[in-house]
């Protein structure tokens, strides 16, 4: 499942709210960016915290760390659940960009 998870994670690389998607196996992180881009990031931005809160509201559990969303699902996750997880992240990022 690691390659499938990573392919879905890397699908965020072109998203306007994502500066970088990185991970290995079933662990991943999305570096979030403000609308103004990477230069606008500050120690107080905390987009990861905001994004994680929105993701939880969308029904998925991720961890917010500064400007990152960390994703580390249970090792027994199924492909359908990976799809569900990242669909919730997509919805959260759309709300973050509003």
């Amino acid at each position: 499942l690691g390659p499938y998870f990573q392919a879905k994670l890397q699908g965020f690389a072109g998203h306007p709210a994502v500066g970088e998607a990185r991970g290995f196996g079933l662990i991943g992180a999305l570096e979030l960016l403000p609308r103004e881009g990477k230069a606008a990031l500050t120690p107080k931005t905390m987009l990861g915290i905001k994004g994680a809160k929105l993701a939880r509201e969308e029904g998925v559990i991720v961890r917010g760390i500064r400007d990152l969303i960390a994703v580390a699902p249970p090792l027994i996750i199924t492909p359908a659940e990976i799809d569900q997880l990242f669909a919730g992240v997509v919805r959260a990022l759309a709300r973050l960009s509003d």
Side-chain angles (χ1 to χ4, degrees):
L1 289 176
Y4 184 72
F5 179 89
Q6 288 301 316
K8 296 295 259 185
L9 181 72
Q10 291 304 316
F12 287 92
H15 193 286
V18 176
E20 182 182 10
R22 58 184 177 262
F24 184 80
L26 288 176
I27 298 174
L30 298 173
E31 177 189 22
L32 303 182
L33 297 176
R35 284 190 192 120
E36 301 80 22
K38 195 167 191 146
L41 286 175
T42 69
K44 296 182 182 181
T45 315
M46 299 296 189
L47 289 174
I49 306 299
K50 295 172 190 171
K53 180 182 180 291
L54 294 171
R56 286 187 197 103
E57 291 173 6
E58 295 297 337
V60 297
I61 299 172
V62 297
R63 183 174 177 201
I65 307 167
R66 294 188 200 167
D67 293 312
L68 297 174
I69 289 179
V71 185
L75 299 179
I76 59 168
I77 195 166
T78 65
E81 290 167 331
I82 290 172
D83 292 342
Q84 206 173 14
L85 169 66
F86 285 115
V89 172
V90 166
R91 292 189 304 270
L93 291 180
R95 290 177 59 200
L96 184 66
S97 298
D98 288 342

